[in-house]
Amino acid sequence: MTAAAIIPARWASTRFPGKPLFPILGKPLIQHVWERCLKAKTLSQIIIATDDMRIAEASFDFGAEVSLTSPKHPSGTDRIAEVAARLRGFRHIINVQGDEPALDPRLIDRVVRALQRDSKLKMVTAASPFETESDALNPNNVKVVTALDDRALFFSRSLIPFKRDSSQPSNRSFQPLWHIGIYGYRRDFLMQFVRWRPTPLERTEKLEQLRALEHGATIQVVRTRHRALGVDTPEDVPKAEAALALPRLRHRS
């Protein structure tokens, strides 16, 4: 296996300061994400990348490998690239967002295997269908539209595409998908990606993945029924706790 997962974690989130250590069902948020990675079958190494000693010490306490990074990184991608640059023997780097506590380990494996199957593929992410209009309209929930072969065409915080004719029947060709916080990169592409300057669309939407599209790179989208459950604000915590508690209730029944 040649895939390593790196989980970027920072304290100073604008919308939710201290988010990685916020307790969810008695554990720090970042621990839930790390435990999900442990259950994946395709990862050889799992590293939490942070510049904050509070996050590092808490991660050491629950047994994680930690890599301290520069406090000057403008994004999580830059943070994981610093760690990836020091790793040897890894062809694929998986960026698992530190605010996805209910991420399905099988989805991690699907992202890794997509990279393993196609040596020309440089970047992979994942997305799931929206179930409610309110989720689709929420600007915190990133939307992606794809080509017929599931290459990403565009990511946006707005609802895309615009449905001009309300009488049109629903079909997958114009339904947006809910972007999930996981990326897979070929290591050499990741190193190239962070050398590019932020691009106009990226600066407008505040979405790093648009930088890859603006430079002509292909991003393959893995479709899943798994629900995205990123914890962006304190108001998202109850939903995350409900999702994490559900398997326990099923097991007891």
Side-chain angles (χ1 to χ4, degrees):
M1 294 186 290
T2 58
I6 304 175
I7 307 170
R10 68 188 183 102
W11 186 271
S13 169
T14 303
R15 290 176 290 179
F16 196 167
K19 178 169 63 173
L21 299 188
F22 192 87
I24 294 182
L25 297 182
K27 296 178 183 178
L29 170 59
I30 192 72
Q31 183 175 351
H32 286 284
V33 180
W34 176 76
E35 289 177 349
R36 292 284 168 157
C37 292
L38 286 178
K39 294 178 181 179
K41 298 178 180 179
T42 54
L43 300 176
S44 301
Q45 195 166 357
I46 303 163
I47 304 167
I48 293 174
T50 186
D51 62 350
D52 191 282
M53 284 306 300
R54 290 165 291 189
I55 296 172
E57 289 170 358
S59 300
F60 285 136
D61 286 344
F62 59 73
E65 180 178 353
V66 178
S67 182
L68 290 172
T69 60
S70 168
K72 298 180 180 179
H73 290 309
S75 72
T77 306
D78 295 284
R79 195 176 307 284
I80 71 160
E82 179 187 337
V83 179
R86 299 195 291 259
L87 293 178
R88 295 292 178 266
F90 288 96
R91 186 177 302 138
H92 303 128
I93 304 297
I94 311 303
N95 177 352
V96 179
Q97 301 293 286
D99 58 6
E100 291 272 353
L103 188 66
D104 188 343
R106 293 170 296 182
L107 181 58
I108 300 173
D109 290 333
R110 288 184 64 195
V111 168
V112 173
R113 287 170 180 147
L115 288 166
Q116 292 173 336
R117 282 194 305 267
D118 186 350
S119 61
K120 295 181 181 179
L121 194 57
K122 296 180 178 180
M123 185 172 175
V124 183
T125 191
S128 64
F130 282 101
E131 286 190 334
T132 67
E133 184 178 6
S134 61
D135 281 336
L137 292 173
N138 186 341
N140 289 323
N141 300 333
V142 175
K143 276 65 74 175
V144 57
V145 289
T146 66
L148 296 178
D149 62 359
D150 284 337
R151 288 177 297 109
L153 294 175
F154 195 66
F155 297 82
S156 181
R157 297 184 183 279
S158 297
L159 183 60
I160 52 173
F162 176 74
K163 189 176 179 182
R164 184 184 134 178
D165 185 354
S166 60
S167 66
Q168 286 178 310
S170 296
N171 64 71
R172 77 188 293 270
S173 66
F174 66 79
Q175 291 296 319
L177 296 169
W178 189 343
H179 183 231
I180 297 172
I182 181 171
Y183 297 96
Y185 303 92
R186 288 189 64 87
R187 183 178 177 276
D188 54 353
F189 176 75
L190 174 62
M191 296 299 107
Q192 180 184 38
F193 179 92
V194 295
R195 288 195 295 269
W196 289 330
R197 293 181 179 275
T199 48
L201 287 174
E202 174 190 1
R203 290 194 298 267
T204 299
E205 291 265 10
K206 299 296 187 290
L207 297 173
E208 296 171 66
Q209 59 269 39
L210 291 174
R211 190 188 317 174
L213 294 184
E214 288 183 87
H215 278 278
T218 295
I219 304 176
Q220 193 69 26
V221 177
V222 173
R223 289 175 177 255
T224 177
R225 300 303 302 183
H226 172 71
R227 291 285 157 243
L229 234 173
V231 178
D232 294 305
T233 66
E235 290 71 30
D236 294 326
V237 170
K239 291 187 293 184
E241 290 184 329
L244 290 165
L246 187 58
R248 297 181 185 182
L249 294 175
R250 286 175 176 169
H251 179 72
R252 289 172 184 170
S253 63

